[in-house]
Amino acid sequence: MSVPRFIRVEPKFDTFLNTTRPPDLIAHGFTWTEGPVWLDGALYFNDIPNKRMMRWTEATGAQVALENSEFANGNTLDLAGQMVSCEHGGRRVIRRTDPHDAAAVEVVADRFEGKRLNSPNDVIVRSDGSIWFTDPPYGINSDVEGYSAESEIGGCYVFCATPDGGLHAVATDFEKPNGLAFSPDESRLYVADSGAIKGASFPGIDYELPHHIRVFDVNGTGLTNSRVFAVVAPGVPDGFRVDQEGFVWTSALDGVHCLSPEGALIGKIWLPQQTSNLCFGGADGRTMFITSSDKVYRVESSRRDASHVLSQCERNT
Ligand code: MG
């Protein structure tokens, strides 16, 4: 059965989501959706291969917000409530001072020790204003989601851009680091490794390679005590979010998996296509928006994002 639905593993799953109505398909007709973020009463997301950013509201549906997004991928908000985006085309992380103007950007990071980044993929902001992002090669290993090029750095790192302008490689031993999020108290950092994906898209998955989320203890820009938090299958973890109680909501080949703070599967939002990411938003911050291949879904929940930065932005709007 290929109908979107919920798969309960633990009874508490029914208290997390409104499971009485199926996931609501709110927008479709894209190629590969990513980067969902709630900003100023609307859902913004990227349609990466078509180099455009969309804006969705209940009243308007999905409309083009930005015609040339330069293959932008993950989005988040900074302390001032401005959008921060990972841009494959420009191989950089940028701050958008106007999300409807492709030229209204400030560069957060584009080089490490003089070498161009690969293609920043996903990004989060800590409550101290530091900007953390991953840098796998999906935007340079073909022309589908960027421009083919060699890696100058020669590795796929996790970076932290500090408010003083510094750029620190905080983890250098990932195959392909992807989504990332902090625990509610920001003492731990979760990072997905989607190394099991072969090539630029999804012609196949090599389960001998990483398809898991790792967790670290955080001390300033230092990460210690690396361990595997959860192996995700089928598929790989791409984008994910941590909720107010430390439950991890991760994308996978078959939708969204809910994992306990200990890494146990609590339930799934089963979707028929490869799923890339999700965010919490809506008027009360408790609506989950899910980007899944060419579609976007909505699920009502009792959850909200653990991020202090995102909840601060919400209070300000
Ligand atoms: Mg990603």
Side-chain angles (χ1 to χ4, degrees):
M1 191 172 72
S2 62
V3 179
R5 63 190 188 276
F6 302 101
I7 299 175
R8 176 193 317 103
V9 176
E10 296 287 340
K12 70 178 65 156
F13 191 61
D14 291 286
T15 70
F16 289 175
L17 303 175
N18 179 0
T19 55
T20 64
R21 49 180 295 184
D24 185 15
L25 176 63
I26 59 168
H28 61 92
F30 313 103
T31 301
W32 180 252
T33 56
E34 248 287 7
V37 65
W38 187 261
L39 171 62
D40 292 339
L43 177 73
Y44 287 82
F45 59 95
N46 288 310
D47 183 10
I48 302 177
N50 293 314
K51 294 172 73 169
R52 57 184 183 172
M53 183 165 70
M54 311 301 297
R55 178 183 185 273
W56 176 93
T57 69
E58 185 86 60
T60 64
Q63 298 177 322
V64 176
L66 209 54
E67 285 287 357
N68 182 11
S69 65
E70 277 297 341
F71 302 104
N73 191 337
N75 293 318
T76 193
L77 302 180
D78 69 9
L79 298 184
Q82 292 189 309
M83 188 186 295
V84 177
S85 297
C86 294
E87 193 188 79
H88 286 180
R91 300 173 67 169
R92 60 187 187 171
V93 176
I94 55 175
R95 179 180 286 106
R96 296 193 190 281
T97 53
D98 178 354
H100 296 262
D101 180 354
V105 301
E106 299 168 0
V107 178
V108 173
D110 60 356
R111 287 175 187 271
F112 176 65
E113 295 180 344
K115 297 172 181 171
R116 295 188 75 187
L117 300 174
N118 297 322
S119 49
N121 187 287
D122 217 341
V123 60
I124 54 174
V125 175
R126 203 159 185 258
S127 58
D128 61 4
S130 55
I131 297 174
W132 301 61
F133 64 94
T134 55
D135 189 38
Y138 298 118
I140 57 170
N141 60 11
S142 82
D143 291 319
V144 176
E145 293 196 353
Y147 306 108
S148 295
E150 293 294 315
S151 172
E152 295 186 14
I153 292 174
C156 299
Y157 298 168
V158 182
F159 289 103
C160 173
T162 46
D164 63 4
L167 184 63
H168 308 268
V170 296
T172 59
D173 63 345
F174 276 78
E175 193 79 32
K176 292 187 174 76
N178 205 314
L180 69 178
F182 289 107
S183 61
D185 65 1
E186 298 186 335
S187 68
R188 281 168 287 136
L189 174 70
Y190 298 87
V191 184
D193 195 332
S194 59
I197 299 171
K198 297 176 182 172
S201 55
F202 297 91
I205 292 167
D206 180 353
Y207 286 108
E208 296 295 311
L209 293 172
H211 50 102
H212 56 227
I213 296 172
R214 281 161 64 181
V215 62
F216 300 84
D217 297 333
V218 183
N219 186 1
T221 59
L223 300 180
T224 57
N225 195 19
S226 169
R227 61 270 190 203
V228 172
F229 167 71
V231 175
V232 175
V236 299
D238 189 341
F240 64 93
R241 304 286 171 169
V242 175
D243 73 23
Q244 75 274 31
E245 292 183 320
F247 288 80
V248 174
W249 298 81
T250 180
S251 58
L253 184 66
D254 59 348
V256 175
H257 298 187
C258 175
L259 306 171
S260 74
E262 294 75 37
L265 183 66
I266 303 300
K268 293 184 181 183
I269 303 169
W270 191 92
L271 300 173
Q273 291 171 288
Q274 171 79 30
T275 296
S276 64
N277 213 334
L278 63 142
C279 75
F280 293 95
D284 60 0
R286 296 179 186 273
T287 302
M288 188 184 295
F289 294 97
I290 305 166
T291 48
S292 183
S293 291
D294 56 339
K295 300 181 179 67
V296 181
Y297 294 90
R298 171 175 61 182
V299 174
E300 298 303 328
S301 86
S302 62
R303 310 281 91 193
R304 49 187 307 125
D305 202 295
S307 165
H308 301 263
V309 176
L310 293 176
S311 57
Q312 181 66 44
C313 293
E314 212 170 87
R315 280 196 293 274
N316 292 342
T317 58

